[in-house]
Amino acid sequence: MLSDNAINLSKARLNIAKERIIVAEQNLELGYYTTVANRAYYAAFSAMRAVLALQGFDSKKHSGVIAKFRQDYIATETLPKDLSPIINQLTKIRQGSDYDDFYFISKEEVTKQLQDAKKFVETVEQYLLTQYEQNI
């Protein structure tokens, strides 16, 4: 049985992930592609943290969150393996767009990033909804 605190934290993090998707979509319309890449990555990252909240796990390092998520949910096939390459691509492009002053990302690339992030968040949301329901 999950604690109410764990469920509430998970729901809050999932809401943050969904909000970041909306912000990414708005920035795509405005042509702010590096911001889209950043928000797409952080949407997926927040979704991972939403899942891990149910275990009471968090990490100060992104790599810790990603490693634990992959170990406990992707490697075990609790969640689909096709989420793993999405994490890789979102991370790679977010790092380039955040830290390289001359990084270029095309509209096509960032649109794919956003689609992948949406798929990631939607997949995680479906999983979490089943976890919340099982706890009722």
Side-chain angles (χ1 to χ4, degrees):
M1 185 93 170
L2 300 169
S3 75
D4 287 344
N5 287 342
I7 291 172
N8 290 336
L9 180 58
S10 177
K11 286 179 177 180
R13 289 176 176 173
L14 179 60
N15 285 335
I16 291 168
K18 291 163 47 174
E19 178 182 303
R20 287 176 172 161
I21 292 292
I22 293 167
V23 170
E25 290 171 334
Q26 292 168 340
N27 277 278
L28 180 62
E29 290 177 23
L30 295 169
Y32 299 140
Y33 301 150
T34 57
T35 303
V36 175
N38 176 283
R39 296 296 81 191
Y41 166 82
Y42 277 102
F45 183 72
S46 294
M48 285 184 266
R49 291 183 71 224
V51 172
L52 295 171
L54 297 180
Q55 294 180 310
F57 177 86
D58 203 10
S59 175
K60 291 182 181 184
K61 295 185 175 255
H62 287 228
S63 60
V65 168
I66 292 168
K68 182 72 169 167
F69 181 82
R70 281 185 164 140
Q71 175 187 335
D72 291 359
Y73 296 93
I74 294 177
T76 62
E77 297 187 32
T78 302
L79 288 166
K81 288 192 177 281
D82 66 348
L83 295 182
S84 191
I86 291 174
I87 296 168
N88 291 344
Q89 193 63 13
L90 290 171
T91 301
K92 177 183 172 191
I93 291 181
R94 195 275 305 181
Q95 287 176 337
S97 66
D98 278 0
Y99 300 114
D100 182 349
D101 293 331
F102 297 104
Y103 190 82
F104 173 79
I105 186 167
S106 69
K107 182 177 183 177
E108 293 75 24
E109 287 175 303
V110 82
T111 299
K112 172 85 167 83
Q113 288 285 102
L114 181 52
Q115 289 170 344
D116 286 347
K118 286 171 79 170
K119 175 185 175 183
F120 192 100
V121 171
E122 289 167 1
T123 301
V124 166
E125 180 177 28
Q126 290 308 307
Y127 169 76
L128 287 172
L129 290 175
T130 63
Q131 298 304 302
Y132 303 153
E133 289 170 7
Q134 288 177 11
N135 207 55
I136 295 175

